[in-house]
Amino acid sequence: MKVAIGVCLAVSLLVPTLSFAQLGFDPANPGRLFTRSLAQKVAKPLGHGLTAEEREYIENNFNDYLATKYGDATRIRDNKTRMAPAEYEKADGCCFGWQGYTSLLTQLISFVSESSTAYVVVDRESDIDYAKKRLLQAGAKEENLEFVVKYLNSVWMRDYGPWWTYTNDGEREIIDLDYNRPRPHDDEFPSALGRKYNIPSHVLDLILPGGNLILDGHGVAIMTDVTFDPSQGGDPNMSVEEMEKFMKDYFGCKKVIILRDMHQDGTGHVDMFCKLLNDTTFIVGRYANPSDGAPGNAEILDEAAARLASETNGKGEPFKVFRIPMPPRKWGTTYTYTNSLICNNKVLVPVYGHPTEEEALNVYRKVLPGYDVKGFDCNNIISANGAIHCITKLFMADPIELNHETPETAAGTNTFTVKVDSSDLPQKVEMHWNYQGGEVQKVDCVPGDKPGVYQADLDLEDGAKINYWFSADLERGIKGTFPKGSGSDRLSVTVGQ
């Protein structure tokens, strides 16, 4: 079931009606946008769904639209294997596009910055001072604010922002998917972010908005069938088999679960009714009465919950499914509590002042004890067909990082320690060492007194010179070393000196 044009026009009454010029859309140059000032975008932000003008362009120029998306893909020409992390895993911080709904963004950024970096994307250098002043006044931690200058079209960071993948040798890379909207400045963002932070980026010929992809971190992807819907900017020529190959090659996915999209919610994205809270636990929306949602949506949600409960994650473990209330639909708007953000130990949940609010927050608290769960009023943004998840995108941490300080040594037993900071517990940590000119030996490192610290004891001869390095292997096949690239780069110490 797909969103009808008539329905979209009805929904558009809830957001500002914008002309081609106001949208920055140039019908004479397909796929291009005029530059709009930040003030214009804040006053009249682009909605999450397709505008009437964008829809008209896609319907009348579909091949031209596809041409703007395809053709600039990069090809990976190495033998590395890749695995994409899940959203509940460790992140350096979160990306936000300062492009409208700035009152809500100010609250979200301030909360995230308490313990993580907030990457705030502004159009120009001159926009930084105002945004920074406003955020600091709201209590944001200045040391955790990172401003990125990149002109954007819209606030919907989830759909155009970076995806991440980890290589088997412990490197972090960006996957740049095509946004299912004719908004080229948004589409440029992931690769621009990679260039700024010197992170390798791979551009794919794959139209897939971020709000319609859930990853379990172990090789399972979940999305809705709106991915293939041209009325939402998708590519109907893409086969399920082709999608599965993309997900396998670039995200390390062994299985793709495709659910039915909700009717008349503006996007058809999976994050409007579904959320993965850890590697075995989903929450799926549920309407108290079928009439509370658009026709057929209560059945679609029940079907999704049953389907996920019958599935397993990438480790073969069964998924558990908890149901969470869906507030009644009102004035053509679908309200949801699943459009939330997990950023390390913080959970940001959209709320609307509905009586089911506390029940919904308690679902999160039950599944995620010890997390800081907080609700944020999203009444002003939900009519544009999105909430918190839709305007945020994680900046994932390195999958594994090893650190070591060379100890003082003496004849006899010496303890060497290494700190392993990783996305999951290492299966094996080893110290590789040899006397100068001698054969390399391996010693297992055992957990030390502090979390993440591992140690190895060596009996060494006074005055001898040894070379050494450390390695750690994670469950997902990721390997980290210290120093990086060890084998060629090694540490050395002379015993007793």
Side-chain angles (χ1 to χ4, degrees):
M1 297 289 184
K2 306 305 177 190
V3 180
I5 293 175
V7 171
C8 289
L9 292 177
V11 172
S12 71
L13 296 176
L14 299 174
V15 295
T17 301
L18 307 178
S19 67
F20 279 105
Q22 288 172 317
L23 287 168
F25 185 79
D26 181 5
N29 295 285
R32 301 290 182 182
L33 295 177
F34 291 123
T35 298
R36 301 171 68 211
S37 71
L38 180 60
Q40 288 175 314
K41 289 188 285 187
V42 169
K44 294 183 177 181
L46 283 176
H48 196 194
L50 285 163
T51 66
E53 288 79 9
E54 289 173 331
R55 185 176 299 281
E56 177 185 344
Y57 161 62
I58 290 176
E59 289 178 349
N60 294 331
N61 306 275
F62 190 71
N63 289 335
D64 289 336
Y65 163 73
L66 288 182
T68 67
K69 299 297 179 184
Y70 295 159
D72 59 350
T74 57
R75 297 284 179 254
I76 297 178
R77 302 186 185 279
D78 58 41
N79 295 319
K80 298 178 182 180
T81 57
R82 290 171 169 79
M83 175 66 71
E87 290 183 45
Y88 53 76
E89 297 188 44
K90 183 180 178 182
D92 284 347
C94 187
C95 300
F96 305 84
W98 193 261
Q99 302 293 314
Y101 304 103
T102 50
S103 293
L104 174 60
L105 283 174
T106 297
Q107 298 175 58
L108 304 181
I109 292 168
S110 298
F111 189 57
V112 165
S113 74
E114 290 177 3
S115 55
S116 304
T117 301
Y119 297 86
V120 184
V121 187
V122 296
D123 286 349
R124 302 173 181 83
E125 292 279 354
S126 57
D127 297 323
I128 293 176
D129 287 344
Y130 169 74
K132 184 176 181 179
K133 179 179 179 181
R134 187 168 174 182
L135 290 168
L136 293 180
Q137 288 175 341
K141 291 182 69 172
E142 184 171 7
E143 62 268 30
N144 286 339
L145 295 179
E146 177 86 10
F147 290 92
V148 178
V149 178
K150 168 68 180 78
Y151 186 86
L152 298 174
N153 302 121
S154 73
V155 73
W156 308 106
M157 178 64 71
R158 173 64 43 182
D159 288 342
Y160 59 77
W163 281 97
W164 302 86
T165 189
Y166 297 153
T167 65
N168 60 305
D169 58 356
E171 295 297 326
R172 171 181 56 176
E173 299 177 342
I174 287 175
I175 298 294
D176 185 349
L177 301 180
D178 289 315
Y179 186 19
N180 65 334
R181 301 287 182 261
R183 302 173 184 177
H185 297 297
D186 289 346
D187 240 342
E188 297 165 349
F189 177 67
S191 292
L193 189 73
R195 288 191 295 272
K196 177 175 174 61
Y197 292 101
N198 196 30
I199 299 172
S201 300
H202 305 290
V203 181
L204 303 194
D205 278 346
L206 175 60
I207 300 175
L208 182 60
N212 196 37
L213 179 59
I214 296 173
L215 299 168
D216 78 335
H218 301 290
V220 175
I222 302 96
M223 64 185 69
T224 73
D225 54 7
V226 79
T227 298
F228 311 99
D229 183 355
S231 74
Q232 281 290 343
D235 185 355
N237 303 311
M238 170 74 65
S239 68
V240 172
E241 292 74 21
E242 288 173 315
M243 174 63 72
E244 289 173 338
K245 185 171 181 357
F246 271 116
M247 300 311 296
K248 177 183 178 182
D249 292 348
Y250 295 93
F251 293 88
C253 290
K254 299 170 281 191
K255 178 169 62 175
V256 178
I257 300 171
I258 300 176
L259 306 174
R260 281 202 291 162
D261 67 300
M262 277 203 300
H263 302 163
Q264 303 176 21
D265 71 346
T267 64
H269 293 174
V270 70
D271 66 355
M272 292 296 284
F273 64 87
C274 184
K275 181 83 173 180
L276 184 62
L277 300 186
N278 55 44
D279 61 356
T280 59
T281 309
F282 276 101
I283 54 173
V284 176
R286 176 163 56 194
Y287 285 108
N289 301 294
S291 60
D292 287 345
N297 278 353
E299 176 188 347
I300 288 172
L301 299 192
D302 290 344
E303 176 188 292
R307 170 75 185 280
L308 292 171
S310 72
E311 294 281 358
T312 58
N313 68 10
K315 297 191 292 183
E317 300 167 333
F319 286 125
K320 299 187 294 286
V321 176
F322 290 85
R323 304 303 297 271
I324 193 167
M326 293 283 283
R329 193 166 181 263
K330 183 170 61 176
W331 297 105
T333 296
T334 296
Y335 292 78
T336 175
Y337 295 117
T338 65
N339 201 263
S340 59
L341 171 70
I342 300 174
C343 185
N344 296 320
N345 68 324
K346 294 186 178 296
V347 185
L348 295 74
V349 183
V351 295
Y352 314 96
H354 190 269
T356 55
E357 179 177 307
E358 197 60 29
E359 178 185 354
L361 292 173
N362 283 335
V363 171
Y364 283 94
R365 292 175 181 133
K366 177 180 178 180
V367 179
L368 300 173
Y371 282 68
D372 189 357
V373 178
K374 184 176 181 179
F376 293 85
D377 187 343
C378 287
N379 279 294
N380 286 339
I381 194 172
I382 192 62
S383 60
N385 303 317
I388 294 172
H389 195 249
C390 295
I391 59 174
T392 57
K393 198 65 178 286
L394 293 178
F395 193 119
M396 301 306 295
D398 279 318
I400 185 167
E401 186 174 354
L402 279 64
N403 286 289
H404 163 76
E405 292 185 4
T406 302
E408 293 186 4
T409 57
T413 301
N414 292 265
T415 298
F416 292 76
T417 62
V418 61
K419 177 76 165 62
V420 182
D421 192 3
S422 58
S423 54
D424 48 89
L425 288 175
Q427 287 189 312
K428 179 172 63 177
V429 181
E430 294 180 318
M431 179 177 177
H432 308 250
W433 74 281
N434 67 298
Y435 286 115
Q436 188 75 22
E439 184 178 346
V440 175
Q441 305 174 60
K442 294 181 183 179
V443 178
D444 288 335
C445 298
V446 298
D449 296 334
K450 298 180 180 179
V453 174
Y454 295 80
Q455 63 185 49
D457 292 334
L458 299 182
D459 288 325
L460 301 174
E461 302 170 2
D462 188 35
K465 181 177 181 180
I466 69 165
N467 302 313
Y468 68 97
W469 55 283
F470 297 93
S471 67
D473 295 345
L474 303 186
E475 182 181 36
R476 291 182 287 189
I478 297 170
K479 188 182 188 75
T481 61
F482 186 90
K484 282 196 172 184
S486 289
S488 56
D489 296 327
R490 301 185 182 188
L491 304 168
S492 64
V493 64
T494 301
V495 179
Q497 296 184 12

